Amino acid sequence: MSYQQEYGNAVNNPEAFWREQAEKLAWYKAPDTILQNDENGIGRWFVDGELNTCYLAVDYHVDQGKGDQTAIIYDSPVTNTKQKISYKELQEAVSKFAGGLASLGVKKGDRVVIYMPMIPQAVIAMLAVARLGAIHSVVFGGFSAHELAIRIDDAQPKVVVTASCGIEIERVIQYKPMVDEAIELAEYKPSSVVLLQREQCQASMVEGRDVDYNTLVDSSEPAGCTAVKATDPLYILYTSGTTGKPKGVVRDNGGHAVALNYSMSTIYGMQPGDVFWAASDVGWVVGHSYIVYGPLIYGCTTIVYEGKPVRTPDAGGFWRVAEEYKVKALFAAPTAFRAIRKEDPDGKLIGDYDLSALETIFMAGERLDPPTYHWTVEKTGKPVVDHWWQTETGWAICANPVGLGTLPTKAGSSTVPVPGFNVKILDSLGNELPANTQGTIAIELPLPPSCLPTIWGNFERFKQGYLSEYPGYYCSGDGGYVDEEGYLFIMGRTDDVINVAGHRLSTGEMEEVLASHEAVAECSVIGVADKLKGQVPVGLTLLKDGVDIDEEQLQAELVAMVREKIGPLACLKRTIVVPRLPKTRSGKILRKLLRQIASGQEYSVPSTIDDPSSVSEIQSVMLDKGLVDDRSPEEV
């Protein structure tokens, strides 16, 4: 079936479409009611169906005679460890750990916080919680004790599962002291902490509360799968909120399983038994959807990689893994490929590896700038698919659907809406905008399966944050436009728009131009205060390794490029070279923080930051270059 037919079926007759997709899963009780509004008026999928997500991801494949197939490949260049785990071995490990959690009192509906590095036990813990019908909340390993405490208070877990440490390149990060401090800070106290001791670091135990992971497994009986309703929560995943308090995105069991199973073939072109690699972390939504649940539910082999795109040991790390395990699809954030490009600009290391098994490279998590897209296509010789999605949706809103016949690509576009997502571009009054006109990207309700139905314990926050601005729509918070062929272009968050003398300009467009300069590895454009025009754009640029260029010459060339590509209206007249840009651990540039520094506002360093020292470093550079507005509030 063509993309157009599939998309039309999903939008015009969603209940029939999703019933057909649901029939591809092994339900304990198949759903009769496909879509029904809940007490809050939110459309819920498969409401009378019953299933267990762990069964679908693990036991089902064993029951189908595929127990010997490799389920998980663990590759850890930071510890020199490699391991393959079959579906049968995974079933044994998960059922035993689930039995251990049950012995600690975990039952259906209880919450378990998982605070672990990229190791197989993190995946096992997630699946074990799902097996019991409980709800997991994975917190990225290394988050501060304060941030972990906030999540403990919100989720109120019966148990916290952790490891003694994580490893960042060559640095050992002790996790247990942060867990202990978080529990000390939190008002709510979990009854137990399960601790996996790693040989790189032995952690102390709190008597009467802490339990050794291996001891618990060895002393426990295997637990079976608990049936849950399709609308019962599978997990809570916290994402940053504008108020500073994290939002607990709720994911249900049924819609999540159906959507991810559908996506593996439709979006990623996978078949059962293929090797799929999402080079992310289980602490992020990509890790939930495409390291753990998507590949395993679909019967693929998934890779758990404890390493980085560079420096573990070099910029060839991704290509080594792709060759060694015959990866069919590689999925990572654009920042990973920008890091590789920065250290290996000519792509010389790519030639050292046989990438014949690799069919497609997927990127998401932030805007894919055309220079990174073109570099990756040119140097690898592989098609690159940019796709756009959010923690809130759990899977791609827009993509180039490889399984429906790949469409022609356009650099800078995440191609077309995925079947099920009715995407519109709206103006400030909620009117749909014509082609090639920038506005707010919204999705007409009901949202397709897997999208959040609420914020944990706070439906009103969900309603106000996503549904109130445009009644009848989910507001994505991203801005962009659709061209005359229906291709969607994401231009960044709606607050990444600056107002220059009454003209609204997208910083994403300007970044696209700056990034195309041969000397620039990464960049960010921010608006800074201007007495005459309100705001003017300034470009912050990071140079490729080995590049030697005069800063004034570079600025002149970049200003000329913006003037040529966008026009003098853009008013970009200044760029500065910076040693690095502050980023989250998942690789997103902290643009809001940069704007706050430049405007002289008070700011707080977010818990998601990769390296807090990058903030003082960039502030020092911006002060030195006269970019920080030091006027008083009265003067402003």
Side-chain angles (χ1 to χ4, degrees):
M1 186 179 292
S2 71
Y3 162 75
Q4 287 77 13
Q5 289 174 304
E6 186 100 341
Y7 186 77
N9 290 344
V11 168
N12 297 326
N13 197 345
E15 291 189 47
F17 180 84
W18 289 111
R19 181 187 296 275
E20 183 181 340
Q21 304 313 319
E23 288 170 354
K24 297 173 183 176
L25 294 182
W27 296 79
Y28 293 152
K29 179 183 180 296
D32 290 319
T33 304
I34 302 303
L35 179 63
Q36 187 178 82
N37 282 355
D38 64 13
E39 65 277 9
N40 294 317
I42 301 301
R44 305 297 296 274
W45 294 94
F46 319 117
V47 292
D48 56 350
E50 294 183 8
L51 75 170
N52 181 278
T53 298
C54 178
Y55 176 81
L56 298 176
V58 183
D59 303 68
Y60 173 76
H61 305 298
V62 178
D63 290 349
Q64 296 296 307
K66 296 180 180 176
D68 292 335
Q69 181 192 316
T70 300
I72 295 172
I73 295 169
Y74 171 52
D75 188 293
S76 173
V78 297
T79 62
N80 254 346
T81 306
K82 296 176 184 179
Q83 180 187 6
K84 291 186 178 181
I85 302 169
S86 70
Y87 272 99
K88 179 64 178 170
E89 290 167 336
L90 183 61
Q91 182 189 45
E92 292 168 358
V94 169
S95 61
K96 289 276 280 183
F97 190 61
L101 290 175
S103 73
L104 297 175
V106 176
K107 59 186 185 302
K108 181 178 176 179
D110 287 339
R111 276 78 62 205
V112 175
V113 162
I114 299 169
Y115 183 79
M116 298 186 89
M118 279 294 289
I119 53 179
Q121 290 86 351
V123 178
I124 289 165
M126 293 167 72
L127 292 165
V129 173
R131 191 176 192 83
L132 297 174
I135 304 164
H136 63 67
S137 184
V138 182
V139 179
F140 181 86
F143 262 18
S144 70
H146 170 71
E147 292 295 330
L148 180 56
I150 292 172
R151 288 153 174 79
I152 288 172
D153 275 335
D154 194 67
Q156 299 192 341
K158 186 165 282 186
V159 174
V160 174
V161 182
T162 190
S164 58
C165 67
I167 302 158
E168 291 282 325
I169 303 178
E170 294 175 343
R171 187 165 57 106
V172 173
I173 301 172
Q174 294 191 38
Y175 283 7
K176 187 56 166 40
M178 287 191 278
V179 170
D180 291 340
E181 185 184 347
I183 294 174
E184 181 86 17
L185 290 169
E187 291 183 21
Y188 178 86
K189 308 298 181 186
S191 58
S192 304
V193 172
V194 179
L195 172 67
L196 176 75
Q197 298 280 16
R198 302 188 76 187
E199 63 181 48
Q200 292 79 13
C201 169
Q202 292 291 302
S204 61
M205 307 273 283
V206 174
E207 192 172 346
R209 186 197 71 186
D210 295 354
V211 182
D212 180 78
Y213 182 103
N214 291 318
T215 302
L216 180 66
V217 169
D218 291 343
S219 62
S220 298
E221 291 298 315
C225 297
T226 300
V228 298
K229 291 180 180 178
T231 53
D232 284 340
L234 170 67
Y235 68 75
I236 305 162
L237 183 58
Y238 289 92
T239 185
S240 57
T242 52
T243 63
K245 183 185 178 184
K247 297 174 289 190
V249 169
V250 175
R251 191 83 63 224
D252 63 18
N253 274 272
H256 175 254
V258 172
L260 292 193
N261 190 65
Y262 172 69
S263 73
M264 288 302 295
S265 59
T266 301
I267 296 174
Y268 302 104
M270 301 298 285
Q271 295 298 321
D274 288 340
V275 180
F276 187 85
W277 181 24
S280 181
D281 189 284
V282 291
W284 311 129
V285 68
V286 171
H288 282 59
S289 295
Y290 294 111
I291 295 175
V292 185
Y293 292 112
L296 295 178
I297 288 172
Y298 198 64
C300 290
T301 297
T302 188
I303 295 177
V304 174
Y305 178 69
E306 192 180 19
K308 299 287 185 185
V310 296
R311 297 175 59 201
T312 54
D314 56 29
F318 272 24
W319 318 125
R320 189 269 302 170
V321 171
E323 175 192 76
E324 189 166 337
Y325 305 116
K326 295 183 169 50
V327 172
K328 183 178 180 180
L330 165 59
F331 175 1
T335 192
F337 296 92
R338 284 196 287 268
I340 294 169
R341 177 184 173 213
K342 181 178 183 295
E343 295 205 1
D344 184 22
D346 297 323
K348 292 177 181 176
L349 289 170
I350 297 171
D352 293 343
Y353 300 96
D354 176 6
L355 301 183
S356 57
L358 183 61
E359 293 186 5
T360 317
I361 295 172
F362 295 86
M363 298 194 205
E366 59 182 321
R367 189 166 170 276
L368 171 56
D369 56 292
T372 301
Y373 168 83
H374 289 303
W375 181 87
T376 310
V377 170
E378 177 191 336
K379 301 302 181 186
T380 65
K382 305 295 178 182
V384 170
V385 170
D386 177 17
H387 59 328
W388 169 62
W389 49 304
Q390 299 181 322
T391 300
E392 289 85 348
T393 63
W395 66 304
I397 303 166
C398 284
N400 196 330
V402 173
L404 297 176
T406 307
L407 299 170
T409 58
K410 296 184 182 183
S413 172
S414 50
T415 316
V416 291
V418 169
F421 287 95
N422 196 355
V423 176
K424 307 289 185 185
I425 308 296
L426 305 179
D427 66 14
S428 59
L429 298 176
N431 301 309
E432 190 171 353
L433 290 166
N436 297 306
T437 305
Q438 286 196 41
T440 297
I441 304 170
I443 303 166
E444 192 170 332
L445 300 177
L447 293 171
S450 183
C451 298
L452 82 170
T454 189
I455 295 295
W456 179 254
N458 196 342
F459 176 76
E460 195 57 35
R461 189 177 184 191
F462 170 60
K463 183 180 172 183
Q464 290 302 317
Y466 299 96
L467 307 179
S468 61
E469 187 170 355
Y470 300 105
Y473 292 90
Y474 165 91
C475 181
S476 72
D478 280 310
Y481 65 93
V482 172
D483 73 7
E484 61 284 343
E485 292 185 286
Y487 279 60
L488 182 71
F489 290 76
I490 311 293
M491 302 312 295
R493 301 297 291 173
T494 49
D495 57 6
D496 285 338
V497 173
I498 59 174
N499 196 317
V500 180
H503 299 283
R504 287 169 58 81
L505 298 171
S506 164
T507 56
E509 274 187 286
M510 291 181 240
E511 288 176 359
E512 193 171 298
V513 176
L514 299 191
S516 67
H517 192 286
E518 60 183 12
V520 175
E522 282 192 279
C523 64
S524 179
V525 174
I526 59 171
V528 299
D530 181 80
K531 289 180 180 178
L532 179 64
K533 297 182 177 179
Q535 282 182 303
V536 292
V538 173
L540 311 178
T541 58
L542 182 67
L543 303 183
K544 293 176 185 174
D545 286 5
V547 167
D548 183 19
I549 185 169
D550 177 75
E551 191 166 345
E552 286 189 14
Q553 178 194 339
L554 176 65
Q555 175 174 280
E557 292 176 6
L558 292 173
V559 168
M561 288 169 66
V562 170
R563 190 179 181 89
E564 179 191 347
K565 298 280 178 64
I566 299 177
L569 187 69
C571 287
L572 187 131
K573 296 178 179 175
R574 181 142 191 230
T575 65
I576 63 171
V577 174
V578 297
R580 55 180 172 158
L581 292 162
K583 295 181 180 182
T584 65
R585 288 186 176 93
S586 62
K588 293 180 183 177
I589 296 170
L590 291 162
R591 291 174 172 82
K592 181 180 178 182
L593 180 68
L594 291 170
R595 291 195 299 269
Q596 289 172 324
I597 293 171
S599 63
Q601 296 176 18
E602 286 188 16
Y603 63 86
S604 58
V605 178
S607 60
T608 53
I609 196 162
D610 184 42
D611 183 356
S613 67
S614 63
V615 178
S616 55
E617 193 174 75
I618 196 81
Q619 184 171 31
S620 175
V621 172
M622 291 168 76
L623 278 166
D624 185 54
K625 302 284 187 178
L627 272 189
V628 177
D629 184 0
D630 56 2
R631 292 178 293 169
S632 68
E634 291 75 20
E635 289 178 293
V636 173

